[in-house]
Amino acid sequence: MTSPIHFVSLLFPRVTQLDLTGPLEVFSRLPGAVSHLVWHRIEPVMTGSGFSILPTVSFEDAPQADVLMVPGGPGAFDVMEDAAVLDFVRRQAAGARYVTSVCTGSFVLGAAGLLHGHRATTHWASHPMLEILGAIPVHARVVRDDALITGGGVTSGIDFALSLAAELYGADVARSAQLAMEYEPEPPFDAGSPHGSDVDPAQVEAGMVSARMSREPIVRRAAARLGY
């Protein structure tokens, strides 16, 4: 009998729910996978989409992760200054087979000191700030650096999860999960990245300026605490 694989995912207020639920949908279709949603307390946590998700376990009672996943969202920058969150991420990362993030969840890993010297990616609007935390920023949907796997913005989480499924279970199992989800994106516009032909460059610039102004001070404080 195959031993269960424990996927431990951080949940926090103002999480971008698809960062979390996209990969969880993939994980739920993998044999022997057990998912745990972790927060300070077992009480509803409001997502950035306006609805709540209930954690399954507290930090204190969480099992050791085989796969640790940190999603992103506006709230990721709040928990970068939550010592209990960062301690939990460090402890879990020390025993995990894979340490992973989606979107701006990479900044939580960075604030925990786990990105220094590693290749990583995140949402395009905040991408340049990864360097402040000692990471080597890479523009890609999924970036693998040994046991560290980071996904880009939001929908990249599904790509990341399928890549990880292939790593853990083999390509056939990952392909089966993709088919069951009918994951075959055909977006109506070429506007899924800053380089798309339907993208307004002014919107890209405004998004990066907004991210820099609201988030860079938090990222720099995290870097200072780590002595970078």
Side-chain angles (χ1 to χ4, degrees):
M1 182 176 178
T2 303
S3 299
I5 294 180
H6 292 274
F7 294 82
V8 173
S9 300
L10 185 66
L11 178 60
F12 50 83
R14 299 200 300 151
V15 67
T16 294
Q17 62 85 19
L18 188 56
D19 288 5
L20 175 69
T21 58
L24 287 179
E25 184 62 37
V26 176
F27 300 158
S28 73
R29 298 171 184 276
L30 304 177
V34 181
S35 281
H36 309 272
L37 303 182
V38 189
W39 182 233
H40 286 282
R41 298 163 297 280
I42 301 178
E43 61 186 27
V45 174
M46 183 65 73
T47 70
S49 300
F51 60 84
S52 296
I53 296 176
L54 188 66
T56 61
V57 68
S58 67
F59 292 150
E60 182 178 307
D61 296 329
Q64 172 58 53
D66 295 300
V67 177
L68 173 66
M69 185 184 77
V70 181
F77 295 88
D78 299 328
V79 298
M80 285 176 68
E81 301 192 295
D82 185 324
V85 168
L86 298 183
D87 286 346
F88 173 78
V89 168
R90 290 188 194 101
R91 290 196 310 271
Q92 285 282 333
R97 290 171 60 184
Y98 295 95
V99 176
T100 73
S101 67
V102 178
C103 197
T104 52
S106 56
F107 286 93
V108 180
L109 297 182
L114 301 174
L115 291 190
H116 198 269
H118 292 285
R119 299 164 66 249
T121 192
T122 191
H123 189 277
W124 59 265
S126 299
H127 199 274
M129 289 184 279
L130 283 174
E131 198 168 14
I132 298 170
L133 293 170
I136 303 167
V138 177
H139 287 285
R141 295 276 288 180
V142 181
V143 174
R144 169 83 182 271
D145 189 332
D146 295 327
L148 175 69
I149 308 176
T150 52
V154 192
T155 59
S156 301
I158 298 175
D159 296 4
F160 139 75
L162 289 168
S163 298
L164 180 61
E167 180 82 18
L168 288 168
Y169 293 90
D172 286 348
V173 170
R175 280 193 288 263
S176 177
Q178 180 177 349
L179 176 61
M181 292 171 61
E182 198 172 348
Y183 179 56
E184 189 179 21
E186 294 184 6
F189 308 107
D190 183 18
S193 85
H195 310 293
S197 61
D198 295 331
V199 168
D200 178 0
Q203 182 182 354
V204 173
E205 179 63 21
M208 295 185 73
V209 168
S210 175
R212 186 168 63 248
M213 291 180 64
S214 63
R215 297 171 174 178
E216 186 168 320
I218 299 170
V219 176
R220 290 199 178 278
R221 287 197 296 269
R225 285 193 295 272
L226 292 166
Y228 299 161

